[in-house]
């Protein structure tokens, strides 16, 4: 079992020489770049965590294709237990880091595992064995692979092949005997500056005309022709941000210019009919993961809100309105997490042999959290008071002219030192009312797909037609109050027997392919 430590992970990044820009300047070495440190710390935590005996039960998994023990974040899920362990693992890590990011590797691997199997079955290609080979390499070297799926897209009303600028979507520009060349822009890639490699995946359904946009492959982060223009991770260097100056997420725009990919790293090459399946499968795995991630963030809000109430000198047991707000917060977090649990329990084994979470529950959980993130912030803010955004800067904590004067402001509960009250207030500001706080809102809404995409998927997968049949059966048997018919057994309603109900056009629940 090769499990790197966070230190090993940092050292491994030094072996790459990517072309990265942050805030207008070229990054010499990502590991030494302070603007990226909170992101590297967060991914580093996924490495250290897996080496701790107390987390081993859910952080380590056995890879069925090799029998080796690997970090769960580079593993193919095989059963319900795997999905539940993944949720727990993601939640636990996001309690510590806000966003652990590395789970993207697992979501990409699981989607590609299914999708390559599907293409091979339909077309006789050998993508699945290529993927398994690459996956073993990733596992043996304990790598982190980011996901480059969301294209720049251009005019949203046009298909990729209709765009004024073809580079709006990443596509194949040359097919060579030894591989392909790809060009185009992927707009939002989490952790791009500090991953080892990227999975490039199609981000939508495609038509025959879009054939060249049907490309899935794996690219090292320092591939020639790849430029990453990234944002700082979290709030680096901001002393008032205890949390997000230590942990945060950078995202990068990835510009591919004739990047060469050898065939052993290509998993889709023009099979446009399979692009939608890959996109949707990835989305399903990832939305399930998002539920665990935001539950971890919710845990931070629940804990910080309870502490803020206490530091204000109040007892939430004795104050019904505070207790109600706390229950609302708990209800919100645990409701969407329960959808994640349901998605795991009702997950289905695919023909490829991995398990896919139930899509209705994973999409519902993601939709619930996307809608309720603002309520979570509101609840944490309402129980805390205005101090969270008005408390003077930490520099005053050591200013001899002001620190004593502020002591009165900060003294509330006699049992709680003013410094503790300040620390909790600043944490709540960081998580809900800072630039990083707003970032948690937007990632909850759009990360893993916009709410409209989630709703489409719920409607597509939900068995509405089954429910119609249910009611039709009730009516036929006279259960419905408007029915004149007396209860009858099937086939005995008339001389000729029952007629099967007419086919409805409403969507049937999809069976696993
Ligand atoms: C913090 C963060 C991290 C992310 N990390 C990653 C990552 O690691 N990898 C990755 O690949 N992606 C990542 N994403 C991207 C995420 O999946 C997208 O933001 C999401 O799918 C929405 O796409 P978009 O941002 O391009 O918005 P748009 O597609 O521009 O959507 C904006 C609005 O327009 C609507 N809309 C869009 N197209 C149409 C249309 N044709 N018809 C009607 N309505 C339309 C949408 O429903 C939405 O309401 C990340 C996003 C965020 C915010």
């Amino acid at each position: 079992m090769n499990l790197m430590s966070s230190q090993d992970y940092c050292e491994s990044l030094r072996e790459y020489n990517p072309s990265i820009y942050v805030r207008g300047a070229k990054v010499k070495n990502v590991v030494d770049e302070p603007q990226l440190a909170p992101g590297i710390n967060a991914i580093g935590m996924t490495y250290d965590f897996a080496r701790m005996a107390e987390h081993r039960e859910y952080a380590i998994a056995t890879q069925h294709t090799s029998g080796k023990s690997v970090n769960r974040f580079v593993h193919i899920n095989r059963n319900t237990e795997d999905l539940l362990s993944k949720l727990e693992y993601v939640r636990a890590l996001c309690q510590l880091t806000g966003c652990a990011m590395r789970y993207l590797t697992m979501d990409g691997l699981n989607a590609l595992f299914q999708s390559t199997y599907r293409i091979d079955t339909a077309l006789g290609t050998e993508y699945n064995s290529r993927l398994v080979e690459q996956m073993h390499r990733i596992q043996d070297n304990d790598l982190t692979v980011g996901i480059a799926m969301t294209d720049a897209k251009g005019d949203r009303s046009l298909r990729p092949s209709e765009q004024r600028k073809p580079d709006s979507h990443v596509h194949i520009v040359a097919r060579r005997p030894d591989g392909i060349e790809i060009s185009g822009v992927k707009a939002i890639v989490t952790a791009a500056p500090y991953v080892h490699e990227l999975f490039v995946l199609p981000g939508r359904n495609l038509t025959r005309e879009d054939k060249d946009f049907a490309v899935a492959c794996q690219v090292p982060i320092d591939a020639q022709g790849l430029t990453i223009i990234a944002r700082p991770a979290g709030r680096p260097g901001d002393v008032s941000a205890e949390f997000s100056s230590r942990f945060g997420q950078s995202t990068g725009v990835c510009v591919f210019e004739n990047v060469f990919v050898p065939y052993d790293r290509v998993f889709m090459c023009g099979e446009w009919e399979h692009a939608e399946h890959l996109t949707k499968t990835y989305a399903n795995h990832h939305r399930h993961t998002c539920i665990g991630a935001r539950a971890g963030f919710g845990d931070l809000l629940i804990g910080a809100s309870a502490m803020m109430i206490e530091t204000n000198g109040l007892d939430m047991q004795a104050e019904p309105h505070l207790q109600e707000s706390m229950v609302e917060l708990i209800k919100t977090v645990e409701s969407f997490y329960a959808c994640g649990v349901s998605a795991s329990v009702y997950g289905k084994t695919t023909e490829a042999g991995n398990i896919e979470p139930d899509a209705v529950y994973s999409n519902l959980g993601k939709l619930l959290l996307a809608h309720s993130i603002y309520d979570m912030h509101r609840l944490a803010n309402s129980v805390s008071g205005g101090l969270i955004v008005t408390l003077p800067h930490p520099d005053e904590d050591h200013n001899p002219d002001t620190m004593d004067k502020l002591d009165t402001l900060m003294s509330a509960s006699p049992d709680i030192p003013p410094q503790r009250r300040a620390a909790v207030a600043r944490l709540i500001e960081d998580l809900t009312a800072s630039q990083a706080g707003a970032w948690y809102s937007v990632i909850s809404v759009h990360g893993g797909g916009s709410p409209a995409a989630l709703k489409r998927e719920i409607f597509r997968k939900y068995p509405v037609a089954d429910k119609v049949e249910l009611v039709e059966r009730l009516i036929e048997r006279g259960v419905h109050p408007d029915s004149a018919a007396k209860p009858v057994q099937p086939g005995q309603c008339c001389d000729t027997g029952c007629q099967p109900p007419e086919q409805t056009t409403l969507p049937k629940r999809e069976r696993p392919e």
Side-chain angles (χ1 to χ4, degrees):
M1 176 163 58
N2 175 25
L3 294 178
M4 287 202 279
S5 65
S6 55
Q7 194 58 38
D8 300 332
Y9 156 64
C10 284
E11 290 310 312
S12 70
L13 291 178
R14 289 188 195 281
E15 290 166 24
Y16 294 76
N17 186 24
S19 174
I20 296 172
Y21 293 83
V22 178
R23 294 186 66 175
K26 185 148 192 185
V27 174
K28 285 203 183 70
N29 193 308
V30 291
V31 180
D32 302 324
E33 172 53 62
Q35 306 282 331
L36 300 173
I40 294 174
N41 291 344
I43 290 202
M45 191 68 90
T46 71
Y47 284 95
D48 287 339
F49 210 75
R51 289 157 62 101
M52 297 175 193
E54 63 269 36
H55 303 306
R56 188 151 288 202
E57 198 182 330
Y58 54 90
I60 304 295
T62 305
Q63 175 56 41
H64 74 282
T65 48
S66 66
K68 291 183 184 171
S69 297
V70 299
N71 190 311
R72 182 168 293 287
F73 285 163
V74 289
H75 172 244
I76 298 292
N77 297 311
R78 295 271 288 170
N79 50 43
T80 302
E81 277 303 307
D82 275 336
L83 293 180
L84 289 170
S85 295
K86 158 192 161 177
L87 275 183
E88 289 294 323
Y89 186 29
V90 171
R91 185 172 184 165
L93 273 162
C94 291
Q95 288 169 351
L96 298 177
T97 63
C99 180
M101 295 172 275
R102 196 179 175 205
Y103 41 65
L104 289 156
T105 309
M106 167 189 61
D107 298 334
L109 280 172
N110 277 273
L112 279 166
F113 189 73
Q114 265 171 265
S115 195
T116 50
Y117 184 90
R118 186 177 193 259
I119 304 175
D120 289 354
T121 305
L123 304 173
T125 44
E126 292 177 349
Y127 291 130
N128 189 260
S129 53
R130 278 184 199 173
L131 175 80
V132 169
E133 204 167 304
Q134 291 301 324
M135 178 179 70
H136 289 162
R137 186 180 58 79
I138 291 166
Q139 292 169 343
D140 290 345
N141 294 286
D142 209 15
L143 302 180
T144 296
V145 184
I147 299 295
M149 173 179 263
T150 305
D151 291 280
K153 296 187 198 168
D155 181 338
R156 269 61 173 162
S157 68
L158 301 177
R159 309 198 66 80
S161 54
E162 298 166 343
Q163 295 291 337
R164 196 166 45 86
K165 294 188 173 187
D167 283 353
S168 301
H169 296 75
V170 167
H171 58 292
I172 302 166
V173 287
R175 288 176 164 82
R176 293 172 22 181
D178 48 350
I180 56 173
E181 286 177 28
I182 57 171
S183 289
V185 178
K186 291 289 186 185
I188 311 177
V189 180
T190 289
Y194 42 85
V195 296
H196 301 100
E197 304 191 0
L198 292 175
F199 281 134
V200 176
L201 307 175
R204 55 164 298 159
N205 63 333
L206 298 171
T207 61
R208 187 179 301 281
E209 290 68 39
D210 302 320
K211 191 168 179 282
D212 288 340
F213 299 86
V215 58
C217 59
Q218 194 171 349
V219 174
I221 205 63
D222 58 356
Q224 202 177 350
L226 173 59
T227 307
I228 297 166
I229 305 152
R231 290 169 65 100
R235 300 166 67 192
D238 187 338
V239 290
S240 61
E242 265 291 314
F243 189 79
S244 57
S245 63
R246 278 188 292 155
F247 299 111
Q249 181 189 110
S250 170
T251 49
V253 177
C254 292
V255 182
F256 295 80
E257 292 169 293
N258 294 93
V259 172
F260 173 70
V261 191
Y263 280 122
D264 61 351
R265 291 175 178 224
V266 176
F267 313 120
M268 176 186 284
C269 186
E271 295 85 357
W272 57 272
E273 314 92 310
H274 296 272
E276 182 177 16
H277 176 267
L278 177 52
T279 308
K280 291 210 160 115
T281 306
Y282 171 77
N284 188 22
H285 285 288
H286 186 50
R287 288 167 191 168
H288 180 252
T289 305
C290 291
I291 292 170
R294 218 53 69 227
F297 176 75
D299 292 333
L300 290 174
L301 286 193
I302 293 168
S305 300
M307 280 175 71
M308 199 63 209
I309 292 170
E310 192 191 6
T311 65
N312 282 345
L314 293 166
D315 176 2
M316 58 187 155
Q317 311 275 3
E319 302 294 342
H321 70 287
L322 294 174
Q323 198 177 109
E324 195 183 308
S325 293
M326 288 303 296
V327 171
E328 271 296 300
L329 195 49
I330 295 164
K331 182 192 85 179
T332 303
V333 174
E334 298 304 345
S335 302
F336 66 71
Y337 193 71
C339 284
V341 173
S342 300
S344 309
V345 171
Y346 291 112
K348 298 237 166 51
T349 304
T350 72
E351 284 180 4
N354 66 326
I355 188 168
E356 191 178 341
D358 179 88
V360 171
Y361 283 115
S362 57
N363 279 277
L364 270 178
K366 172 67 196 15
L367 184 63
L368 279 177
L369 76 88
H371 282 177
S372 57
I373 185 75
Y374 297 96
D375 287 331
M376 289 161 67
H377 284 181
R378 174 181 58 77
L379 290 161
N381 294 165
S382 73
V383 298
S384 298
L387 186 73
I388 55 173
V389 294
T390 55
L391 177 62
H393 193 268
D395 287 350
E396 304 294 352
D397 296 353
H398 313 287
N399 179 354
D401 295 340
T402 56
M403 60 194 225
D404 289 346
K405 295 181 173 54
L406 286 175
D407 205 46
T408 307
L409 170 77
M410 294 314 294
S411 300
S413 165
D415 304 329
I416 298 185
Q419 300 85 337
R420 186 174 161 89
R421 187 153 181 257
V424 183
R426 287 192 182 117
L427 178 67
I428 296 188
E429 175 183 25
D430 198 7
L431 297 179
T432 67
S434 68
Q435 169 259 327
W439 177 88
Y440 281 109
S441 305
V442 180
I443 194 172
S444 301
V445 174
H446 278 297
S450 70
L454 308 173
K455 287 179 191 170
R456 255 199 322 273
E457 202 55 7
I458 290 166
F459 192 69
R460 199 172 78 90
K461 294 277 183 175
Y462 195 81
V464 177
D466 290 357
K467 306 295 160 97
V468 171
E469 276 176 30
L470 169 75
V471 175
E472 280 175 344
R473 280 201 306 276
L474 287 179
I475 292 171
E476 280 166 19
R477 288 177 191 171
V479 177
H480 192 277
D482 292 342
S483 170
K486 57 183 189 308
V488 287
Q489 296 300 315
Q492 296 181 0
C493 57
C494 60
D495 291 346
T496 53
C498 290
Q499 295 299 310
E502 273 182 27
Q503 276 296 317
T504 168
T505 53
L506 291 171
K508 283 226 172 237
R509 187 153 192 170
E510 283 198 350
R511 306 277 171 238
E513 288 141 15

